[in-house]
Amino acid sequence: MIRVRFAPSPTGYLHIGGLRTALYNYLFAKQNDGHLILRIEDTDRTRLVDGAIDNLISTLSWSGIEFDEGPHKEGDYGPYTQSERLDIYHKHTIKLIKSGNAYPCFYPKDRLEAIKSKNISSEIVAEYDTRFRDLDIDESIEKMKYENHIVRLKIPSKGSISISDTIRGSIEFDLSLIQDQIILKSDGFPTYHLASVIDDHLMNITHVIRGEEWVASLPKHALLYQAFEWEMPTFVHLPLLLNKDKSKLSKRQGDVAVEDYKLKGFVKDALINYVALLGWHGSDNKEIYDFDELIHSFSIERIKSSGAIFDVKKLIWFNQQYIKNSDSEALLNLINQMVPTEWNLKIEMIDLLKDSVETLNDFKDQLNSFFVYSPIKISADNHLFSDTIYNFLNLLKEALSKQDDINANIFKDLINNIKKEHAISGNIWKPIRIALTGTEHGPDISCYASILGSKTCVNRIQLFLDLNVD
RNA sequence: GGCCCGUUCGUCUAGUGGUUAGGACCCAGGGUUUUCAUCUCUGUAACAGGAGUUCGAUUCUCCUACGGGCUACCA
């Protein structure tokens, strides 16, 4: 069975790049009837953020990505949080030391402090540590019980290793260039390399799908697999998501948290669709994929090898498409959660607006004029308004007050009749809009007025005239 | 600096040993519309460079350039 994992560290929010990694893992698992595992990589105790795990899970869940196993979902391979697996890492570390593939380096307190305070380069420290490389194994293990130590992986000083990546093919590394990697820190926690290799193996992970930033560590991981005499999973390194300047997508140059986009009124389907297409594309020109189509169409073979710039403009376009094609009822439910409870949203309002908004937040802005009105003071030099227009508005008000029920067509007829009867010409539609809504632009004013209802229209025109006509 | 990865319109991308190199976003212009938007039509715009292989390379190989990632007791 295909088993893949998404393995974030709980350092805060869910990164857009993380969302894509999770998504690709999810799609791959789903289309193969496999399992997607959530594993929390919290081995850096200095970077833990409270609530990050819950946040991660709920954000992922909002996007439609659910896990088959994880800290929040029981499975046969737990625990799924690395800080709860310390004894496993320790046992395996001892195994590595015993087989001669790793060695502890001892750090008397003063040396530890010296290293920390003097800012010595890691190369120099590693160089110094090679003196521990060939210490007696049993003695070293005994010494670990009462002395400060770290453990390093013993990397062959010569030779090369070639590792296969599904997207990039075979990659060769010169081992002499790699320093003995620390796999167990002085606080007793493993580093990423050790923990992820052990967990991927123990959790029966078949495909490691992760970001390209990990390819440089590939030889270390491969060596670890060799040392344990374990079979390697298939590696799939995803191209990076980039800023406008082509550097790795990061905060600082815009929003990178999934939550930011949610807050800005992006719908999850649009985000997912857009992000899926950053690095993957089908063989045709299709761009709009719903979640099921994505599951069926996605393939690792068609993942690109080059990085992709995250372009909000295209995301906005996707968002527009999804909103306008959404069921109005569903939209209404979403929007209801965003607006003041006293706003009595009607489905007609959503129908009227959904073709033209870019984000859910635009709804909020545009809906506002249905519920909040204050007349605009027209300046004397505004050529849109004249006595004729004010008079016209007055007539319209009269006409509307005789109508209990209006619809868009009645509203239009009313206006055209008044125009004809009183021989009024010129642009009357814009003044009507301004009087009725307080804004210059917006959706079809006849529809707008009919949703507002004749009574409210009358009130608003009255307020407008009160303010602008002596 | 070293190692590794990458390079088709501004962006996301399709594509092939012979194509007018296709689509989408963006941008510009036209049309529709009582406004804005929507919608619609049209347009601008790309194979990083150099060698080689070949009758023929955007496509295959090598080199260069450029970009990026990594180079932590971070992941």
Side-chain angles (χ1 to χ4, degrees):
Chain A
M1 170 156 107
I2 298 283
R3 292 176 57 82
V4 294
R5 84 309 197 267
F6 177 57
S9 52
T11 53
Y13 52 91
L14 176 63
H15 192 277
I16 270 294
L19 175 67
R20 193 199 52 176
T21 304
L23 175 65
Y24 284 7
N25 272 287
Y26 175 85
L27 296 176
F28 185 63
K30 281 295 151 228
Q31 70 179 193
N32 289 296
D33 289 317
H35 268 196
L36 173 64
I37 290 102
L38 176 66
R39 187 172 71 222
I40 302 299
E41 312 227 324
D42 57 347
T43 55
D44 183 350
R45 309 313 285 170
T46 64
R47 297 208 308 168
L48 296 186
V49 172
D50 261 0
I53 299 177
D54 288 342
N55 189 5
L56 230 34
I57 293 170
S58 68
T59 306
L60 252 3
S61 170
W62 170 79
S63 351
I65 297 173
E66 302 286 355
F67 294 86
D68 300 294
E69 298 166 33
H72 60 309
K73 194 138 193 235
E74 262 323 298
D76 298 335
Y77 297 85
Y80 295 95
T81 302
Q82 293 188 325
S83 58
E84 294 168 23
R85 301 169 63 81
L86 259 28
D87 52 326
I88 297 174
Y89 307 129
H90 286 151
K91 261 202 312 231
H92 284 85
T93 302
I94 296 294
K95 242 189 228 175
L96 284 181
I97 295 172
K98 282 189 171 158
S99 63
N101 286 297
Y103 57 97
C105 307
F106 299 101
Y107 282 45
K109 236 189 189 145
D110 53 332
R111 175 164 155 70
L112 232 178
E113 277 159 16
I115 289 173
K116 276 184 182 158
S117 62
K118 280 188 193 158
N119 232 340
I120 303 170
S121 83
S122 68
E123 275 111 349
I124 292 173
V125 177
E127 179 60 30
Y128 176 93
D129 281 353
T130 54
R131 71 187 53 197
F132 298 107
R133 229 175 176 227
D134 299 311
L135 250 40
D136 180 77
I137 289 175
D138 291 331
E139 220 171 280
S140 292
I141 290 175
E142 184 59 26
K143 220 172 154 189
M144 284 171 72
K145 288 177 186 157
Y146 51 86
E147 263 196 61
N148 278 326
H149 62 273
I150 56 154
V151 177
R152 285 184 188 272
L153 180 67
K154 212 183 268 185
I155 296 192
S157 55
K158 56 182 176 195
S160 65
I161 190 167
S162 161
I163 305 147
S164 159
D165 172 87
T166 307
I167 294 170
R168 273 153 254 273
S170 157
I171 308 170
E172 192 164 317
F173 298 90
D174 184 346
L175 292 177
S176 69
L177 268 13
I178 303 170
Q179 67 180 42
D180 287 354
Q181 176 66 43
I182 294 177
I183 54 174
L184 196 73
K185 302 183 268 189
S186 59
D187 64 358
F189 280 77
T191 56
Y192 172 85
H193 312 286
L194 210 226
S196 70
V197 164
I198 292 176
D199 289 347
D200 285 340
H201 174 76
L202 262 23
M203 294 179 182
N204 257 319
I205 301 301
T206 56
H207 299 253
V208 171
I209 304 172
R210 81 235 289 192
E212 190 188 348
E213 67 266 28
W214 292 111
V215 315
S217 316
L218 223 31
K220 295 166 187 173
H221 301 166
L223 253 19
L224 243 9
Y225 280 102
Q226 276 177 20
F228 284 122
E229 298 181 312
W230 289 340
E231 196 183 325
M232 279 203 285
T234 300
F235 290 110
V236 181
H237 287 95
L238 271 20
L240 258 19
L241 256 33
L242 274 22
N243 292 311
K244 267 203 166 50
D245 68 357
K246 298 201 170 193
S247 58
K248 191 166 141 182
L249 186 63
S250 66
K251 205 142 182 154
R252 262 243 165 339
Q253 299 199 33
D255 294 316
V256 293
V258 173
E259 279 170 283
D260 292 335
Y261 291 94
K262 185 185 171 190
L263 245 38
K264 282 185 167 181
F266 287 92
V267 297
K268 67 158 174 48
D269 311 80
L271 227 207
I272 288 288
N273 195 153
Y274 175 61
V275 155
L277 257 26
L278 252 26
W280 172 85
H281 202 280
S283 56
D284 51 17
N285 285 329
K286 184 175 168 68
E287 287 201 299
I288 302 281
Y289 286 88
D290 66 32
F291 223 128
D292 283 336
E293 290 174 320
L294 237 27
I295 291 171
H296 290 114
S297 310
F298 179 78
S299 77
I300 286 182
E301 288 68 35
R302 288 192 65 84
I303 295 176
K304 296 259 296 179
S305 50
S306 51
I309 293 175
F310 186 87
D311 178 16
V312 189
K313 287 206 171 139
K314 185 114 189 201
L315 208 212
I316 290 174
W317 178 79
F318 272 105
N319 212 44
Q320 257 182 114
Q321 302 305 308
Y322 275 93
I323 288 177
K324 98 167 74 169
N325 293 317
S326 284
D327 178 60
S328 295
E329 195 81 42
L331 284 172
L332 189 134
N333 288 333
L334 281 177
I335 296 158
N336 250 328
Q337 297 164 22
M338 305 169 53
V339 300
T341 43
E342 62 268 26
W343 286 14
N344 180 23
L345 298 188
K346 291 183 189 149
I347 200 86
E348 292 83 7
M349 297 173 183
I350 308 297
D351 284 334
L352 182 64
L353 296 173
K354 75 174 183 180
D355 283 347
S356 59
V357 297
E358 292 181 344
T359 67
L360 256 24
N361 291 11
D362 291 347
F363 269 114
K364 195 175 159 186
D365 295 342
Q366 298 202 33
L367 247 11
N368 185 64
S369 73
F370 279 108
F371 305 99
V372 181
Y373 175 80
S374 49
I376 290 201
K377 177 75 193 164
I378 303 300
S379 64
D381 58 353
N382 189 327
H383 57 272
L384 275 175
F385 288 88
S386 61
D387 288 346
T388 319
I389 294 296
Y390 289 125
N391 185 39
F392 169 83
L393 288 172
N394 208 10
L395 291 166
L396 176 60
K397 189 195 74 183
E398 298 292 316
L400 280 167
S401 61
K402 289 175 196 143
Q403 294 277 346
D404 285 338
D405 252 349
I406 53 167
N407 61 36
N409 286 330
I410 295 178
F411 187 80
K412 258 183 237 175
D413 289 346
L414 239 40
I415 286 169
N416 287 327
N417 288 340
I418 298 172
K419 269 182 89 173
K420 214 185 285 171
E421 268 179 48
H422 298 263
I424 296 171
S425 63
N427 186 358
I428 36 112
W429 290 97
K430 206 151 191 179
I432 294 172
R433 175 183 300 283
I434 291 172
L436 235 34
T437 70
T439 58
E440 268 195 72
H441 306 297
D444 184 275
I445 192 64
S446 303
C447 293
Y448 184 95
S450 73
I451 294 170
L452 217 47
S454 55
K455 217 169 160 187
T456 309
C457 287
V458 169
N459 288 341
R460 288 190 175 186
I461 294 173
Q462 185 63 59
L463 285 170
F464 181 80
L465 291 175
D466 286 349
L467 182 68
N468 287 295
V469 181
D470 306 320

